[in-house]
Amino acid sequence: MTEKPANAMWGGRFAMSPAEIMQEINASIGFDKALAPQDIRGSKAHAEMLAEAGIITKSDAREIVKGLDKIKAEIDAGTFEFSRALEDVHMNVESRLKDMIGAAAGRLHTARSRNDQVATDFRLFVRDAIDGIDTALEGVQRALVEKAEKHAGTVMPGFTHLQPAQPVTFGHHLLAYVEMISRDRGRFADARKRLNESPLGSAALAGTSFPIDREKTAEALGFDRPMANSLDGVSDRDFAMETLAAATITAVHFSRLAEEIVIWMTPQFGFVKLSDRFTTGSSIMPQKRNPDAAELARAKVGRIAAAFQGLVIVMKGLPLAYSKDMQEDKETAFDALSSLRLVMAAMAGMIADLEPNAEAMRAAAGRGYSTATDLADWLVRELKMPFRDAHHVTGSIVKVAETKGIDLEALSLEEMQKVEPRITKAVFSVLSVENSVKSRTSYGGTAPQNVVKMARQWLRRLEKGRGKV
């Protein structure tokens, strides 16, 4: 007796069911059911186009659209039963549609393939994800800008090599991340622009002999135009790789900020505090306040970057057009984009919650001879000394202060004049950290007046929706 194939949707060519392990490796419904809203949108647009082109009847199209709306309602309500035997979201939706409206459901797949169907669904999903990411990134920018404006004059040490370098302000430091996120938003916007072409109508790989209107389905789904080559339409995953690359860079930026929060919260630094809302305790050490939200945000870049690398490796050796390898394009991408959304929400919350310890920051800013460059600049400006000579003189003065165990501004004029006799008492005007930051008035510098001006510019840009490069 001949065994019937498990999947009646494609079983005409097959006399037997696939092996159990074949079903296990082949099925994608466990993760691609996330594409159900996009699959239904694409199917509705396709059905309406088929009717207008006279390929199916308008009454069949109406039944199809009505049935798809009911399926969407079931999915939203959580009552839709996804079947593993039907492999993927496309077959699950079509099978349920057949249960609802009968034979007319079989006309929906006219002039398309699962190849262009999944390519369309995935593009729609990624485009929706980018729009949500952009909104979330704007929220993080706003939290940073508001905190930066409030602390435009709060002095802190600037670091290179994690060693005290020059004084900056906390507001200036936060605005650096606003600029970074602006570039992140620009990368996502660029990726969105390039992905916004419709593969629907490419069919399996060669297009179709039916008189379809690809411009119509592209417009109905919000795409700028149809993709110009059917082979490219079904085999391209650049849009996912580009979006994951942008997500990876964004996650790196958040990881860097998270790392700084972790460092700043240590008692050795004591620069910032987070409330109970964004910290956890220890099961054994009652004194602990752990910045777990920041640590987890720092770690998420691992899985996001891995998703990008994973897709690159999947795609690197594939011939045109569709190969089943490409089923591996979605699961990790879904996870990566979900992880990034979680990181953004956590970071926005932490930034709003975070309170700087201005006294600790100010004290740290004065350590490590951080105004040495100001002294060198003064020697160049006032004594017309070549910078390399000024650098040498300043190093010698720093050595004197270090030997005595005091800050530069605590040195006497006489002690500095032993190194360079032309130094006058006017030099003390540049040796305090407050005067140091006030003097950095060049465009993009840390002077408080600059920070206030830039923060207000950013607030206006965000109000107008222009918070990206």
Side-chain angles (χ1 to χ4, degrees):
M1 183 176 174
T2 304
E3 184 182 356
K4 291 184 179 180
N7 191 336
M9 293 293 183
W10 51 259
R13 171 65 177 82
F14 293 79
M16 298 177 64
S17 294
E20 186 176 338
I21 191 63
M22 177 61 197
Q23 289 181 304
E24 184 67 24
I25 196 171
N26 194 48
S28 59
I29 190 59
F31 54 85
D32 71 11
K33 61 187 177 183
L35 294 176
Q38 290 78 20
D39 192 68
I40 290 169
R41 278 161 59 192
S43 290
K44 287 170 67 176
H46 185 66
E48 288 166 352
M49 178 277 294
L50 291 175
E52 289 201 18
I55 299 169
I56 67 173
T57 66
K58 290 187 176 179
S59 61
D60 278 349
R62 282 195 295 271
E63 287 300 305
I64 289 169
V65 169
K66 190 185 301 181
L68 289 169
D69 284 338
K70 288 180 180 177
I71 291 170
K72 175 67 163 54
E74 288 180 352
I75 292 170
D76 290 344
T79 59
F80 187 93
E81 292 187 16
F82 289 99
S83 168
R84 193 168 180 77
L86 291 170
E87 295 182 26
D88 58 32
V89 64
H90 323 297
M91 291 304 186
N92 270 267
V93 170
E94 188 175 332
S95 177
R96 179 62 178 139
L97 186 64
K98 185 178 180 182
D99 292 343
M100 285 182 168
I101 68 172
R107 304 188 189 281
L108 173 60
H109 210 53
T110 307
R112 79 172 181 186
S113 160
R114 277 192 294 177
N115 294 354
D116 63 335
Q117 188 178 358
V118 70
T120 303
D121 293 355
F122 196 20
R123 278 178 186 262
L124 289 172
F125 182 94
V126 172
R127 190 180 69 186
D128 291 345
I130 288 173
D131 292 344
I133 287 168
D134 186 68
T135 299
L137 286 174
E138 181 185 359
V140 179
Q141 281 183 306
R142 189 177 298 279
L144 285 164
V145 171
E146 289 173 355
K147 189 74 71 172
E149 183 180 27
K150 184 177 178 182
H151 293 284
T154 301
V155 176
M156 69 175 290
F159 298 95
T160 61
H161 308 276
L162 205 56
Q163 301 295 315
Q166 293 177 320
V168 295
T169 69
F170 187 53
H172 188 62
H173 195 108
L174 295 179
L175 287 181
Y177 285 100
V178 177
E179 298 289 338
M180 293 156 77
I181 294 170
S182 173
R183 295 193 295 274
D184 293 329
R185 293 181 68 189
R187 274 183 283 270
F188 280 113
D190 289 345
R192 190 191 194 284
K193 183 178 180 181
R194 272 184 287 277
L195 76 75
N196 208 35
E197 295 183 346
S198 174
L200 191 57
S202 297
L205 74 159
T208 178
S209 59
F210 288 96
I212 61 173
D213 185 348
R214 294 190 63 207
E215 295 281 354
K216 179 173 179 56
T217 50
E219 182 181 358
L221 293 171
F223 290 113
D224 294 330
R225 62 191 69 85
M227 295 183 74
N229 184 284
S230 59
L231 283 167
D232 185 44
V234 299
S235 62
D236 170 56
R237 292 298 184 270
D238 292 359
F239 66 93
M241 288 189 284
E242 187 172 5
T243 301
L244 289 174
T248 298
I249 296 170
T250 302
V252 166
H253 290 159
F254 284 130
S255 183
R256 294 179 74 179
L257 177 54
E259 168 71 359
E260 293 197 311
I261 291 172
V262 170
I263 291 171
W264 292 342
M265 278 193 66
T266 62
Q268 291 81 0
F269 275 75
F271 285 2
V272 299
K273 290 182 180 179
L274 285 173
S275 74
D276 295 353
R277 297 176 67 240
F278 289 96
T279 54
T280 64
S282 165
S283 62
I284 189 172
M285 296 170 283
Q287 83 281 8
K288 294 294 293 297
R289 180 185 291 278
N290 300 322
D292 283 2
E295 290 172 1
L296 289 166
R298 180 178 61 185
K300 292 292 184 184
V301 67
R303 66 199 303 160
I304 295 169
F308 168 57
Q309 290 292 333
L311 183 53
V312 168
I313 292 166
V314 166
M315 297 300 298
K316 73 169 183 64
L318 294 187
L320 299 180
Y322 181 82
S323 298
K324 196 70 171 183
D325 311 51
M326 292 164 71
Q327 184 167 289
E328 292 296 312
D329 61 357
K330 288 175 283 296
E331 187 172 12
T332 53
F334 295 163
D335 178 78
L337 296 174
S338 175
S339 294
L340 183 58
R341 286 193 292 270
L342 185 59
V343 167
M344 292 185 293
M347 293 306 298
M350 277 190 288
I351 292 158
D353 185 73
L354 183 149
E355 283 301 323
N357 182 338
E359 272 187 41
M361 284 183 168
R362 166 62 182 83
R367 292 194 290 268
Y369 309 103
S370 62
T371 59
T373 306
D374 298 273
L375 172 55
D377 289 346
W378 185 90
L379 294 171
V380 170
R381 189 169 54 250
E382 300 299 327
L383 304 185
K384 310 305 180 189
M385 190 179 289
F387 181 79
R388 285 299 165 206
D389 293 345
H391 186 285
H392 181 79
V393 168
T394 300
S396 298
I397 293 173
V398 167
K399 188 174 182 180
V400 173
E402 191 174 35
T403 301
K404 292 179 173 293
I406 58 176
D407 294 332
L408 280 177
E409 60 184 322
L411 274 176
S412 68
L413 178 60
E414 291 74 17
E415 287 168 319
M416 285 189 273
Q417 287 176 334
K418 288 177 184 177
V419 178
E420 172 49 63
R422 293 180 293 163
I423 293 176
T424 69
K425 64 180 180 180
V427 74
F428 290 102
S429 66
V430 301
L431 294 183
S432 72
V433 293
E434 287 79 12
N435 286 338
S436 175
V437 296
K438 285 178 185 176
S439 72
R440 307 292 174 180
T441 55
S442 59
Y443 180 77
T446 191
Q449 65 191 61
N450 284 18
V451 176
V452 170
K453 182 179 179 181
M454 190 60 70
R456 290 173 182 172
Q457 283 181 5
W458 266 112
L459 286 172
R460 288 193 294 272
R461 285 177 67 179
L462 291 170
E463 288 298 324
K464 293 177 181 178
R466 295 203 301 266
K468 54 195 167 198
V469 174

